[in-house]
Amino acid sequence: MKENIIQAIVADMQRDLDIQQMARLKAVLFKELQNIEIIEKPDNQEQNKKENSELLDSFLSAKKIEGCSEKTLAYYRHTIEKMLLTVSVAVCHVSTADIRQYLSSYQEEKGSGKVTIDNMRRIFSSFFAWLEDEDYIAKSPVRRIHKVKTDSLVKEVLSDEQLEQLRDSCTNHRDLALIDLLASTGIRVGELVKLNRTDIDFHERQCVVFGKGNKERPVYFNARTKLHLQQYLNERTDNNPALFVSLSSPYSRLTISGVEVRIRTIGKRLDMQKVHPHKFRRTLATMAIDKGMPIEQVQRLLGHVRIDTTLQYAIVNQNNVKMAHKKYLG
């Protein structure tokens, strides 16, 4: 508590003092307060919670205007609220040490991986940077917490043989069309479940999807997908506008979890491990780059804002590296 107050005082004075004066002020405060115990009044704690909640609401409103989805906003709220409740001080008193200690304790208690911890760090950084920009705090305490170095893991993709096995194991036209659309377009599962029948242009073999941030983009499918989609739609007797619906009445629109469960079930029948909708997306990106598609076009196809994101999906086939070495350097 004492350190937080000192940090807040120093932060408030940083625009009026130079570096040496700031250091001197901090040293004097620590010296004069070292034998003094500071206890926060209970009503102050409640006031802090209220102010923290109001600032968090304002931050989330700003992120919503920027185009963040409800799912992302909910994740932001849960992550920041949990940290603020644990640290239990006013936002302006949260220090770098508080954030580091929270992340360290969270990782130890939950056994979380480096990616999870770095995602939390990025969320805290965004929150406190916004507070700094809006002049609620003088300086973000996350500035001195560096990016967590994560292991670069090569994630598996589906082979041509596995794709054929998945298709062959389908017992109805819906599942076959579902797998073909995921495999040939590389769309996100969240984009797939939003599609309606009228979104499909069979003549041009394309459809328009709404990606993250409600951004529109066209995606394209192959002739086989066209055929299986038409077979599926022609046999339907319901009036639901959704492209993919449940197999039995009331024929409701498939949800993200519904698609994930169905794909996982098909994979388990074949003893394939970790078969999920996103794996089709990664497979498409890898296949496109292996066959020579420019990375900028793959980026547009997948709807990525940053090309770095596209590169994470694309795994260079080791056989291609071997052949390239033999061709150019052998």
Side-chain angles (χ1 to χ4, degrees), residues 17 34 46 92 98 147 189 193 211 217 281 298 313:
L17 306 175
Q34 63 179 342
E46 291 303 315
C92 61
D98 290 329
K147 183 182 186 301
V189 63
V193 298
R217 80 176 188 283
R281 183 170 168 84
V298 179
Y313 283 75

Side-chain angles (χ1 to χ4, degrees), residues 89-107:
V89 295
V91 161
C92 61
H93 290 161
V94 176
S95 67
T96 301
D98 290 329
I99 303 289
R100 283 199 180 111
Q101 180 60 44
Y102 176 77
L103 290 174
S104 177
S105 299
Y106 187 95
Q107 186 175 32

Side-chain angles (χ1 to χ4, degrees), residues 202 221-232 234:
F202 285 108
F221 50 87
N222 56 28
R224 172 162 49 185
T225 304
K226 173 183 175 179
L227 177 63
H228 292 153
L229 270 174
Q230 287 176 327
Q231 288 174 338
Y232 164 58
N234 288 338

Side-chain angles (χ1 to χ4, degrees), residues 30-73:
F30 270 113
K31 179 182 177 182
E32 295 299 324
L33 296 175
Q34 63 179 342
N35 296 321
I36 297 175
E37 183 179 359
I38 299 175
I39 301 174
E40 189 172 18
K41 293 181 180 179
D43 56 341
N44 277 358
Q45 293 178 1
E46 291 303 315
Q47 182 64 25
N48 286 343
K49 287 182 181 178
K50 182 181 178 183
E51 290 177 359
N52 288 355
S53 179
E54 289 173 352
L55 288 173
L56 178 55
D57 287 341
S58 297
F59 166 70
L60 294 175
S61 295
K63 300 304 289 185
K64 186 173 183 179
I65 292 171
E66 290 175 15
C68 287
S69 67
E70 291 299 326
K71 184 179 178 181
T72 299
L73 293 174

